[in-house]
Every structure is written in C-alpha cells, then in structure tokens.
Amino acid sequence: MKVAFLGIGLMGLPMAQRLLAADIQLVAYNRTPEKLAPLQAAGAEIVTHPRHAIRAAECIILMLTNAPAIYNVLLSDTAWQTLEGRTIIQMGTITPTESQEIRDAVVGGGGEYLEAPVLGSIPEAKAGKLSVMVGAEPEQYQRHFKLLQNFGTEPLLIGPVGSAAALKLALNQLIASLTTSFALSLAFIQRQGVDVDVFMQILRDSPLYAPTFDKKLQRMLDGNYADPNFPTKHLLKDTELFISEAKSRSLDLSSIKGVREILQTAVKMSFADDDYSSLFSVIKEWGEGIGE
C-alpha cells in the first residue's frame, strides 16, 4: 500500500518518518516545500500539488492545521474528483461537526473517511508512542489498525466519526486549563516568597499533581519558550474550537474563556510560535502593564 501524507509540520514530519522507517511507500505534500527535504532524503516521493499525492496513493493521511486547510487541500474541485476508492485518515485537531461534514464530503466523492487524532507531542511522535484515538466503524478500525500502530502501539476505537474528535478537544481543553492553573499557582507562591522547590515537593506528593507541571516548570522559571513541541497559537486554536463546539452543549464555559483570553494575550505578546507555557509570562506580568 502506498500512503500519501499531507501536512508536514512539527508533528507531521516525525509521523511521516515513522512510516518510511516501516518501509511504507510514502508520497508527501506540504504547502511549504522546504519542510519536505528530510522526507525526500529518506526516500519519500515529493509532489507539488495535493491532487498528485491523492492520485498516487490508496490511503491519504491528513495532518493539517484546521478544517479550512483540509477543505482547501482535499476538497477543492480538482482534489475532490480524485477521492473515489481512497481512504482518508484525518489526524489533526478539528471539531466533531467539522469531521462529520468532511466525512460526508469524502463519502460523496466515493471515498471512505475515518478520524484518528493523537495525544502527545514531538518526542512521542518520534518514538511511535502517541495515543491514537479512532473515530470510525469497527470494520474500518480493524482494517487500518496496523497502519495506525506506526504512530501508537494501541490505537483505540472511541466510536463513530466525531467521537474521537470530541475526545481530543476535551483533552486539549485540559492541557490549556491545567497549564494555566499551574502557572497561576506558581506565580502566586513566587510573589508570596514561598520556595518553589518546597511547593513542588508538596505538589508531587499530592493527588493534585500532573506530570505536565514538571514538564513546563523549568520553561516557566527560565522564561524560555523556544523550540516548542506545541506552539501557543495551536493551543489557542484548539481552545477556540472547544468553545465553539461546547456552546451547543449547555455547559458553563466561563473558566475556559478566561484561559482563551490569556492565550490570546500571549499571542499578542509575540509568543505565538513559542511553547504554550509562555502563558506564564502573561499571568506573571498581568499587574505590570498588561491588565487593567
């Protein structure tokens, strides 16, 4: 089977490299062609237009920024006409509603569609240890299980299309909210003169602890947000998707809207392409000219 991979970004590159390492024939497309150089050097076929990748492969994996990018790359008039008999696996973060609408368009073009968003970042992608959440029919899940195992050892069937997309948004809401809460507590104890090591010792021994706190601690203390595994602008995008989808579910969104405001400020402070732990700088500097 030949696989096309569309979207070679921070996560797409190591994921595509996993397929090449498994001796899977790979065709790759990316809007920014220079990002394809490592894949070309490793033996991937490089194309300059998405429809060429779709025509060349039986299975097309999407790791694109958002739903508009998917429509542009996959469902333009020229690309849509090439979908017949092909399988589309959507692995980026979009809303359940968007995923279902894209499924309908793909099926209308004679193809099949499943979603398989992932939890994890670049180190997990390189190691093939992502959490792969699959939204599909059971038969589709079984048929593509071995392919998806290249990204995570135990791809999990969540339910029909839309269910995995919803779970992914729920998890990313936790990323945003947990990191914001930890940053606020860290800034507070610093202002109160409490030793950070003591704070972390108590926290690590308590049921309140989450490993992500230690992963982000040093970045926050150093104010070093370079070389991100997950940029601030992407977490803001996912937070906005969560809010958009959750509005129709009769939930109180006050807390996550506050998180969104902090992320928006971080982007305005030129942290868009930096690690999302940059939200610590927003919280820490709020009383120093950022806030009212």
Side-chain angles (χ1 to χ4, degrees):
M1 178 174 63
K2 183 178 283 191
V3 174
F5 206 107
L6 310 185
I8 309 300
L10 289 175
M11 290 289 286
L13 177 59
M15 290 172 69
Q17 288 171 327
R18 293 282 308 174
L19 297 180
L20 286 171
D23 293 324
I24 292 172
Q25 285 185 284
L26 189 72
V27 186
Y29 166 80
N30 195 63
R31 186 177 60 178
T32 310
E34 53 265 27
K35 292 184 179 180
L36 294 166
L39 296 180
Q40 187 171 28
E45 178 185 344
I46 304 302
V47 295
T48 57
H49 196 284
R51 71 173 180 271
H52 299 151
I54 297 167
R55 284 175 180 165
E58 304 159 54
C59 179
I60 296 89
I61 293 176
L62 307 179
M63 199 63 182
L64 298 165
T65 306
N66 50 31
I70 294 172
Y71 274 94
N72 184 56
V73 167
L74 186 73
L75 299 173
S76 65
D77 288 343
T78 53
W80 184 76
Q81 294 170 8
T82 66
L83 294 182
E84 187 170 357
R86 287 165 175 78
T87 298
I88 309 301
I89 303 179
Q90 197 298 113
M91 302 192 74
T93 303
I94 59 177
T95 70
T97 300
E98 290 169 336
S99 191
Q100 290 161 349
E101 289 173 350
I102 292 166
R103 173 202 58 196
D104 294 345
V106 168
V107 171
E112 72 165 346
Y113 175 93
L114 55 155
E115 61 187 14
V118 298
L119 183 67
S121 57
I122 295 172
E124 291 79 19
K126 288 180 176 178
K129 293 183 178 179
L130 294 166
S131 296
V132 183
M133 301 161 278
V134 185
E137 295 303 317
E139 183 274 332
Q140 290 177 304
Y141 166 72
Q142 293 295 340
R143 190 154 33 93
H144 296 94
F145 184 81
K146 287 187 177 180
L147 176 63
L148 294 172
Q149 274 189 309
N150 288 289
F151 309 121
T153 54
E154 291 295 331
L156 184 63
L157 179 63
I158 307 303
V161 168
S163 60
L167 178 53
K168 170 62 171 170
L169 285 183
L171 292 166
N172 279 23
Q173 187 278 143
L174 270 177
I175 292 172
S177 294
L178 280 173
T179 306
T180 303
S181 294
F182 174 69
L184 180 58
S185 289
L186 179 62
F188 179 74
I189 64 111
Q190 285 183 318
R191 293 287 167 87
Q192 294 290 336
V194 177
D195 187 277
V196 171
D197 289 338
V198 174
F199 166 62
M200 291 305 299
Q201 178 184 341
I202 298 295
L203 181 58
R204 290 185 191 110
D205 290 339
S206 79
L208 302 172
Y209 178 71
T212 188
F213 299 157
D214 266 311
K215 288 183 178 180
K216 297 304 175 185
L217 175 64
Q218 202 59 49
R219 280 187 178 273
M220 291 179 181
L221 294 178
D222 296 343
N224 178 11
Y225 312 120
D227 300 318
N229 289 327
F230 191 26
T232 305
K233 64 183 180 184
H234 289 171
L235 185 56
L236 173 58
K237 182 266 292 184
D238 293 351
T239 300
E240 289 175 335
L241 290 180
F242 177 88
I243 292 170
S244 172
E245 190 75 14
K247 276 182 179 178
S248 63
R249 303 296 175 178
S250 302
L251 299 171
D252 187 330
L253 302 175
S254 303
S255 62
I256 191 61
K257 285 181 177 179
V259 171
R260 176 178 64 180
E261 189 175 334
I262 291 169
L263 288 166
Q264 288 171 333
T265 303
V267 168
K268 290 176 184 175
M269 289 172 65
S270 302
F271 292 124
D273 294 311
D274 291 317
D275 188 85
Y276 65 88
S277 54
S278 62
L279 57 81
F280 179 68
S281 286
V282 177
I283 290 169
K284 187 174 63 172
E285 297 172 24
W286 192 264
E288 301 173 359
I290 293 179
E292 297 180 355

